[in-house]
Every structure is written in C-alpha cells, then in structure tokens.
C-alpha cells in the first residue's frame, strides 16, 4: 500500500501531467486547428482552400483569406500570362502571422515591383515540408525565382519532421503522413518547449525552440543543421534542374538583432532584455551558398540598423507590418538582380 505522503506525491504528479497535457492540447488546437487549417495528404498540415478565419493573440487580430490553391495569397492561375513570378517558401514569418495579407512582404514586393509574388509560406512548415511542396506543387506555378526563407526555428522543425518521415518509413520523401502521429509529436513538442523555456541552465536560456542562439546544446545544433543543409541542397538541386535560380534569405528573430525587440515573449524562453543573442546560422548558410551555388541574403543587418523593437510584436515575436515592409525593401534589390 502506498503511504499517505507518497500517494499525495503520485496524485500531484498525475494531476500536473494531466494538466500539462490538457494545456498542451489547447495550445495545439489554437495554433494548428481553425477554419483555415486542414489535414494535407502529402504534408500532414496545410491551409484550407477558399477558407476564411480570424486569428488573434495579445498583439493582433487579423482575418485570413485562403485562395483556391491553399495559400494566403490572391487568386492566381497555374500558368503565367507573360509576367514574372517569384515563389516564396517559408513558415509563419512568410505566411505573415499577425499582419493583413496586403501587409506581408510578398504582397508589398508584388505591388512595388509590378510582378507576381506567390506567398507559399505556411505556419509550422520545416525545410523538409518546403522541399516536398516545391517538388510536388511549386513548380506547377512556373516560377522564375524561388526564395527560401529560413529562421532559427527551422533547426528544430527539420529534426522533428525528419524523425517522423524516417520512423514511419514513408520512403522517397513523398509520404502519406499519419495526421494523428503528427499531432502527438506537435503536442509533445509544445509541452516540452513550454516547460523547458521556463528554466535556466548555467546562466543560459533553456529552450528547445531557439537552440542555436540559446547556446545550450552545440552538438544538437550541428546535427540539426545537417538536416536543414540536406533539405536546402535538395531544393537547390531540384531548382537548378528546372533552370530556376534559388535565393535563400535568413530571417532573424528579435533577440538576435536587438536588446529590446520581442520584449515580452523573449522572457518566456529565458532570454533577457538588454542583450542580443547571436547565432552562427547566417555564416553556415553563406558558406553553403558558396559551396553549392545559390545566392544568399542575411536580413539581420537591415534590422540592426533601425529601431528593431518596432519591427516585432512584443509578445508573439513575429514581424509587425513595419517589419514586413523592411524585409520587402531589403529583398527588392536582390530580387531585381535576378529578374531584370
């Protein structure tokens, strides 16, 4: 028989575990399930064609409108009608979390350059998702340039989804993903991240989301980078086979470019105000670009050269409309060199 004190500890443990699981499930549903989200046979998750929904947080309240191709973009045809086309790949920063569709950097570039810029960014996507989406769907849109947008969370996302693909032996990176398996991985990852981010280790942030800038697990960063690298190499090889150039853009988070940006949200991950937390990712990407032959642009200098606190939502951490405008201005010259 379990003693009273021991039983109390067991009960407390079970209660906390159940509470964390329920809390994590709520986060999962809020983050990944609404009228704009669907189960995707190829990639596990995606945007629902033709859907409309409202997404909000402490920082914003925005209406989403998804086109018939399942993208947060105006309606477009598969075939070009003489105009130039840029295809933007990425995650929530590219999709435009927190801003109106017309405020995303893709929409701003399209308007100011007078060309088509297709926003194929989808929240939660990894570089592996982006390779598969480009291979199976992206080139049907006949782009003249592919821009792969990358930020630090891609390291963890790549590790997570490479594990799913390999564990279930989907073969040839073209799986019919098991949605329930993905949901469980996402749920466990969210719970793990939230718990880990509240702790400190040796004076350094303890977070599994921003593993590179936290500086807590250099070996994991090396392993995760190899996965991201392999995805980029696949994308570059595939694009070159289609005679379409690739531009890779590094998207910095607030704590990497400013002592004050992302002022509230950074604290939940153990990052302090008054400090910047650099990452070697831009250097790794630049070296890879020179090695395998694609173009690279680091957006960090542009963010550091201004008041970056205005460019990020304080809690959520994604770019504000002003941040998207800066990205568009920074990319414009690079894109122009490719197309004109």
């Amino acid at each position: 028989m379990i003693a009273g004190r021991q039983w109390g500890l067991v009960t407390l443990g079970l209660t906390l575990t159940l509470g964390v699981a329920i809390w994590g499930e709520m986060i999962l549903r809020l983050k990944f399930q609404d009228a704009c989200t669907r189960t995707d046979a190829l990639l596990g998750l995606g945007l629902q064609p033709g859907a409309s929904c409202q997404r909000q947080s402490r920082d914003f309240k925005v209406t989403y409108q998804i086109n018939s191709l399942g993208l947060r973009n105006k309606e477009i045809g598969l075939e070009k009608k003489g105009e130039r086309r840029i295809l933007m790949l990425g995650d929530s920063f590219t999709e435009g979390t927190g801003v109106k569709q017309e405020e995303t950097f893709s929409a701003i570039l399209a308007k100011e350059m007078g060309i088509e810029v297709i926003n194929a960014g989808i929240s939660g996507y990894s570089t592996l998702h982006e390779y598969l989406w480009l291979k199976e769907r992206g080139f049907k849109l006949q782009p003249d340039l592919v821009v792969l947008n990358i930020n630090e969370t891609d390291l963890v996302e790549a590790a997570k989804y490479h594990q799913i693909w390999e564990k279930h032996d989907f073969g040839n990176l073209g799986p019919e993903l098991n949605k329930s398996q993905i949901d469980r991985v996402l749920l466990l990852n969210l719970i793990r991240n939230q718990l880990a981010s509240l702790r400190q280790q040796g004076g350094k942030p303890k977070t599994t989301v921003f593993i590179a800038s936290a500086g807590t697990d250099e070996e994991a960063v090396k392993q995760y980078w190899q996965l991201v690298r392999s995805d980029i190499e696949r994308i570059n090889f595939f694009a070159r086979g289609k005679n379409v150039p690739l531009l890779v853009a590094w998207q910095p988070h607030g704590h990497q470019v400013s002592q004050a940006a992302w002022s509230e949200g950074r604290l939940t991950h153990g990052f302090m105000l008054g400090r910047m937390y650099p990452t070697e990712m831009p250097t790794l990407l630049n070296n890879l670009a020179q090695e395998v032959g694609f173009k690279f642009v680091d957006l960090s200098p542009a963010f550091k050269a201004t008041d970056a606190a205005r460019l990020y939502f304080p809690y959520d951490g994604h770019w504000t409309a002003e941040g998207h405008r800066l990205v568009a201005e920074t990319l414009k010259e690079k894109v122009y060199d490719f197309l004109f």
Side-chain angles (χ1 to χ4, degrees):
M1 179 177 292
I2 301 177
R5 184 178 178 182
Q6 290 177 316
W7 178 254
L9 290 174
V10 171
T11 303
L12 177 60
L14 289 173
T15 302
L16 288 173
T17 301
L18 180 59
V20 167
I22 294 173
W23 174 66
E25 178 72 24
M26 290 173 63
I27 294 175
L28 179 66
R29 292 183 182 278
L30 286 172
K31 186 171 183 179
F32 292 99
Q33 298 180 9
D34 58 23
C36 289
T37 307
R38 67 165 179 166
T39 299
D40 186 285
L42 174 67
L43 299 168
L45 67 155
L47 297 176
Q48 179 64 43
S52 179
C53 64
Q54 194 170 76
R55 293 182 176 175
Q56 64 183 74
S57 73
R58 298 178 69 171
D59 294 303
F60 56 78
K61 187 175 182 180
V62 179
T63 298
Y64 268 48
Q65 185 65 50
I66 312 304
N67 71 9
S68 60
L69 295 177
L71 302 175
R72 195 183 182 208
N73 200 88
K74 68 179 184 179
E75 286 295 338
I76 54 172
L78 289 178
E79 294 187 5
K80 290 187 298 183
K81 298 179 180 178
E83 71 274 18
R84 303 276 186 169
R85 271 187 175 176
I86 302 173
L87 179 60
M88 292 286 181
L89 302 176
D91 60 11
S92 53
F93 275 85
T94 303
E95 181 186 87
T97 293
V99 300
K100 299 176 182 177
Q101 183 172 313
E102 62 269 21
E103 294 173 332
T104 63
F105 67 84
S106 295
I108 295 171
L109 271 175
K111 182 177 180 180
E112 295 190 354
M113 296 189 70
I115 58 177
E116 274 196 318
V117 181
I118 302 172
N119 182 359
I122 297 181
S123 295
Y125 270 20
S126 66
T127 47
L128 185 51
H129 284 94
E130 287 143 12
Y131 163 70
L132 286 169
W133 191 92
L134 178 66
K135 180 174 179 287
E136 299 298 327
R137 301 170 185 169
F139 276 110
K140 295 178 182 178
L141 298 172
Q142 303 176 348
D144 297 289
L145 169 67
V146 172
V147 181
L148 175 64
N149 297 283
I150 292 181
N151 58 71
E152 186 179 342
T153 61
D154 279 306
L155 286 169
V156 173
E157 293 295 326
K160 178 171 62 181
Y161 285 104
H162 270 274
Q163 184 180 36
I164 294 174
W165 261 261
E166 293 170 4
K167 179 179 179 181
H168 299 288
D169 191 25
F170 291 112
N172 198 30
L173 293 179
E176 283 279 334
L177 288 184
N178 184 319
K179 182 64 165 55
S180 64
Q181 291 285 355
I182 287 182
D183 280 349
R184 281 196 290 274
V185 171
L186 291 173
L187 174 57
L188 291 173
N189 190 61
L190 284 166
I191 295 172
R192 188 180 301 113
N193 290 345
Q194 292 299 324
L195 292 178
S197 68
L198 299 178
R199 298 194 296 270
Q200 294 277 335
Q201 179 177 332
K204 295 181 179 180
K206 177 62 177 176
T207 171
T208 55
V209 180
F210 302 102
I211 191 169
S213 56
T216 55
D217 196 338
E218 294 182 3
E219 189 58 37
V221 171
K222 291 178 181 178
Q223 294 175 7
Y224 295 176
W225 161 247
Q226 291 304 316
L227 298 176
V228 171
R229 175 190 171 115
S230 68
D231 293 335
I232 297 173
E233 288 180 326
R234 287 191 186 99
I235 291 172
N236 182 58
F237 180 81
F238 190 48
R240 291 179 68 176
K242 298 285 186 178
N243 294 316
V244 177
L246 173 68
L247 172 65
V248 175
W250 170 253
Q251 302 176 325
H253 289 270
H255 66 291
Q256 296 165 346
V257 294
S258 167
Q259 297 180 351
W262 187 34
S263 57
E264 302 295 334
R266 68 160 67 192
L267 300 177
T268 67
H269 290 273
F271 295 111
M272 296 186 295
L273 285 170
R275 284 185 58 185
M276 283 198 297
Y277 294 82
T279 170
E280 65 174 340
M281 283 292 290
T283 300
L284 293 172
L285 288 165
N286 185 57
N287 291 342
L288 179 60
Q290 296 180 36
E291 180 181 340
V292 303
F294 59 82
K295 297 296 184 181
F296 171 68
V297 57
D298 180 5
L299 300 177
S300 301
F303 278 77
K304 291 178 180 178
T306 187
D307 179 10
R310 303 195 316 268
L311 309 179
Y312 296 85
F313 290 114
Y315 287 94
D316 175 82
H318 285 92
W319 294 325
T320 61
E322 190 172 351
H324 276 267
R325 176 156 290 281
L326 178 61
V327 173
E329 292 172 355
T330 307
L331 287 178
K332 188 186 301 183
E333 182 178 348
K334 294 288 184 181
V335 167
Y336 187 90
D337 291 340
F338 273 105
L339 300 181
F340 300 99

